[in-house]
Amino acid sequence: MNKEEIFMWIDDMFPDHDMINFDGYEDCIVGVVTRFGAEPILCYDKDMVMEKKITENDGDYEQAISDFEHNMIGGWYGETTPCFVEKLELFQ
């Protein structure tokens, strides 16, 4: 799916919800998390995000981790702040 198709699907499935998106990481979205009493949020594959971060930081793993921890996992952007999933090898 391309970026437009992803957001068309989200708009169709969740028309009354504005979910925060990390621009440029649409290809790392693995789904939408829904919870009782909370707004739905986008869920990203952490490994895919880290691969992109490492590439963006010219292969510098430490800088990629720092960037991820500070700007993504460490940021609070409101009730629809995205989450990240770490897949267990057992389920791959």
Side-chain angles (χ1 to χ4, degrees), residues 3-71:
K3 182 178 179 176
E4 291 77 26
E5 292 171 327
I6 291 169
F7 290 110
M8 283 176 53
W9 178 86
I10 290 169
D11 288 342
D12 287 345
M13 297 299 294
F14 304 94
D16 298 326
H17 302 284
D18 290 324
M19 292 181 237
I20 293 171
N21 171 51
F22 291 117
D23 288 334
Y25 291 86
E26 291 80 13
D27 58 331
C28 301
I29 295 171
V30 292
V32 175
V33 174
T34 55
R35 303 166 291 161
F36 178 78
E39 293 289 318
I41 59 175
L42 291 176
C43 183
Y44 292 81
D45 181 312
K46 182 181 176 186
D47 291 333
M48 291 174 71
V49 169
M50 285 307 304
E51 286 177 24
K52 285 190 88 154
K53 286 280 180 203
I54 291 167
T55 300
E56 290 170 359
N57 286 282
D58 298 320
D60 187 336
Y61 180 79
E62 295 300 321
Q63 182 58 42
I65 290 285
S66 177
D67 186 29
F68 174 75
E69 289 178 348
H70 185 293
N71 295 312

